[in-house]
Amino acid sequence: MARVMVHNQEIELTIAQIIEAIRQLKPEEQSIIRRALNDRAWSERTDDLLTRVWAKVQDTPITEDEINAEVEAVRQTLHTASRH
């Protein structure tokens, strides 16, 4: 149960009550709440993604020379394919 302060009074609300209160808002106000919740979700997803990427980088180190060699190989393959 969530606790909120209303006019210096603390009240407890269930999730169902919070949802019902949100449903009573104007569509524009509901959009503000939706964006606020989604922004946090995107932030969390981005953090999770970066954590996974850095874990893979640490597990599979690659040098700049290796990266350049891979890039050049792909460029060569694309160049050869575009000639046919």
Side-chain angles (χ1 to χ4, degrees):
M1 212 176 260
R3 291 184 179 176
V4 296
M5 293 292 290
V6 178
H7 301 293
N8 294 326
Q9 296 291 319
E10 186 176 292
I11 61 172
E12 291 186 2
L13 298 173
T14 65
I15 297 296
Q17 290 170 318
I18 294 170
I19 291 170
E20 183 56 34
I22 292 170
R23 286 186 175 142
Q24 294 175 27
L25 297 173
K26 295 176 188 174
E28 306 84 41
E29 295 168 327
Q30 290 179 8
S31 290
I32 292 168
I33 291 172
R34 189 175 302 110
R35 281 193 307 272
L37 294 173
N38 284 337
D39 285 348
R40 191 169 133 220
W42 277 108
S43 174
E44 290 171 0
R45 288 185 209 158
T46 302
D47 289 346
D48 290 345
L49 174 63
L50 291 175
T51 299
R52 290 193 313 269
V53 167
W54 281 115
K56 291 213 182 247
V57 166
Q58 291 172 352
D59 289 344
T60 315
I62 186 169
T63 67
E64 189 172 341
D65 288 339
E66 291 171 315
I67 293 170
N68 289 334
E70 284 295 321
V71 169
E72 191 54 41
V74 169
R75 285 181 179 156
Q76 188 62 40
T77 301
L78 292 173
H79 180 70
T80 303
S82 69
R83 295 168 117 200
H84 296 313

